Amino acid sequence: MRLALIGAGRIGKVHAQAIDAHPEVTLSAVADFHAPTAEALASQYGTRVLPPDAIFEDGEVDAILIASSTPTHADYLERAARAGKAVLCEKPIALDLARTRDALQVLVAHPVTCALGFNRRHDPQFAALKQSIAEGRIGDLETLSIISRDPAPPPAEYVGASGGLFRDMMIHDFDMARWLLDEPIVHVHAEGSCLIDPAIGEAGDIDTAMVTLVTASGRLCHINNSRRACYGYDQRIEAFGSAGMLQAQNETETRLRFTGEPGQVEETPKWFFLERYADAYRREISDFVGAWKQQREPLASASDGLEALRLAEAAEFSLREGRRIALNDIH
């Protein structure tokens, strides 16, 4: 696969590293509206720099990875589909449901392999959790608890353009909940506060949130988000069932635990998503290549992006109106 990358910023660099590590993928070109950033990344991996608009018609490009700013995602995804290029798009496709649905309609009219960047589905520990649930290791799944906390809050100026905590941060957890629960979610109830940075509140967002999801059969899922965890990137999941419990724990550098007179001491979690999910990003590229070669659905599709966004919209309505929201009311 000859894969071009649009977006040479922080997440683009993560993807470039994953692409370079894959034996069946060539980084065909790098594009970014900030030319020096594109040139630096292209030079690092020995590839070309192209203007973003040129990538879609380039004959040496089989597929496009969209890692640019969120407002560009839907347009670039549509252009890739119309050009017949496979596409891996970072989340979200767009910040509103109508624009997201428009992009999905273009994919219907111009079918190409399209994966969405829900990289946590590719994490080895979370994948093992999913498989164990599916194999019935804990019997019938009854409750699911997802903890996701960033090490430090983003700048307030980032928050203003991010779409808010539910669309920007918790959307990964909404996707994990859908994937692990594996049945329709019918109700959403959200609570949120601004406890960490007053500037985030002034920007119209929250930095701390808890959301409860209820499925059609009555299974319960609790999601806990915070923009600050002083000890590092806190990423844990607990699945509780009729025959036991499964827990996915934080990743540390060596998983080493010291036991002595002071007690038991473990290392702090890896600091942020760049370190925590490095392997997941590599596996995401492998799944994308496999889906393209085998003409199958990728592990996370554009429709998964739409459904996670519906949950984010429902959570926002719930927080604003102070009540439980029926997901069927979110169109």
Side-chain angles (χ1 to χ4, degrees), residues 2-331:
R2 297 170 297 178
L3 180 57
L5 175 64
I6 303 181
R10 182 173 66 173
I11 189 63
K13 292 173 182 175
V14 173
H15 285 302
Q17 188 175 31
I19 293 166
D20 185 63
H22 198 288
E24 298 179 70
V25 184
T26 300
L27 183 58
S28 180
V30 175
D32 195 290
F33 280 112
H34 187 250
T37 303
E39 289 164 3
L41 190 62
S43 175
Q44 182 179 349
Y45 292 101
T47 192
R48 306 175 291 161
V49 174
L50 289 176
D53 290 342
I55 277 181
F56 302 99
E57 304 305 325
D58 192 283
E60 297 181 30
V61 172
D62 300 311
I64 298 171
L65 197 158
I66 301 169
S68 49
S69 60
T70 295
T72 67
H73 289 181
D75 287 343
Y76 284 158
L77 189 154
E78 291 174 350
R79 292 180 67 181
R82 290 189 176 108
K85 313 287 190 185
V87 58
L88 168 55
C89 183
E90 267 299 329
K91 64 81 192 170
I93 295 172
L95 293 176
D96 66 275
L97 288 170
R99 184 68 187 91
T100 303
R101 291 186 191 280
D102 288 345
L104 264 64
Q105 286 302 310
V106 173
L107 289 170
V108 171
H110 303 274
V112 295
T113 300
C114 180
L116 202 67
F118 284 134
N119 61 290
R120 296 181 192 182
R121 293 193 182 204
H122 303 278
D123 175 72
Q125 200 177 169
F126 295 164
L129 177 71
K130 167 72 173 178
Q131 183 175 347
S132 291
I133 293 172
E135 290 173 349
R137 191 173 182 186
I138 58 170
D140 295 327
L141 177 64
E142 295 169 353
T143 65
L144 185 69
S145 299
I146 301 174
I147 292 174
S148 183
R149 300 178 179 129
D150 287 352
E157 56 268 24
Y158 170 85
V159 168
S162 70
L165 182 145
F166 294 129
R167 292 183 183 85
D168 174 58
M169 180 181 178
M170 195 179 286
I171 196 164
H172 278 290
D173 305 306
F174 287 136
D175 180 67
M176 289 302 296
R178 290 187 62 249
W179 188 50
L180 295 172
L181 291 167
D182 198 26
E183 70 168 291
I185 294 166
V186 295
H187 288 110
V188 179
H189 182 210
E191 296 286 350
S193 300
C194 189
L195 303 175
I196 300 165
D197 185 354
I200 290 177
E202 293 166 6
D205 198 13
I206 55 174
D207 54 31
T208 307
M210 293 186 176
V211 170
T212 301
L213 309 175
V214 185
T215 71
S217 70
R219 290 174 175 170
L220 301 177
C221 174
H222 178 258
I223 301 173
N224 181 328
N225 273 190
S226 174
R227 288 287 194 182
R228 180 195 60 205
C230 63
Y231 46 83
Y233 197 41
D234 195 355
Q235 300 283 292
R236 290 173 285 146
I237 300 177
E238 177 186 289
F240 177 81
S242 58
M245 176 177 66
L246 291 162
Q247 292 178 312
Q249 304 287 359
N250 281 320
E251 297 281 350
T252 66
E253 287 301 322
T254 66
R255 304 299 292 270
L256 188 68
R257 174 187 290 178
F258 167 79
T259 302
E261 288 186 5
Q264 290 186 332
V265 181
E266 296 187 51
E267 298 172 316
T268 55
K270 292 183 178 180
W271 183 247
F272 206 16
F273 74 94
L274 302 175
E275 300 87 0
R276 170 64 180 83
Y277 290 120
D279 195 23
Y281 283 110
R282 290 189 289 268
R283 290 164 62 114
E284 182 179 59
I285 293 294
S286 290
D287 178 69
F288 179 52
V289 174
W292 176 68
K293 292 177 71 174
Q294 300 161 24
Q295 293 298 293
R296 61 165 172 83
E297 276 287 296
L299 186 59
S301 68
S303 61
D304 292 313
L306 174 68
E307 292 306 314
L309 185 60
R310 287 182 67 221
L311 289 169
E313 292 266 337
E316 188 168 279
F317 274 113
S318 175
L319 180 65
R320 185 166 62 242
E321 299 183 10
R323 64 182 179 90
R324 187 172 78 164
I325 300 295
L327 192 58
N328 282 342
D329 293 338
I330 305 299
H331 304 293

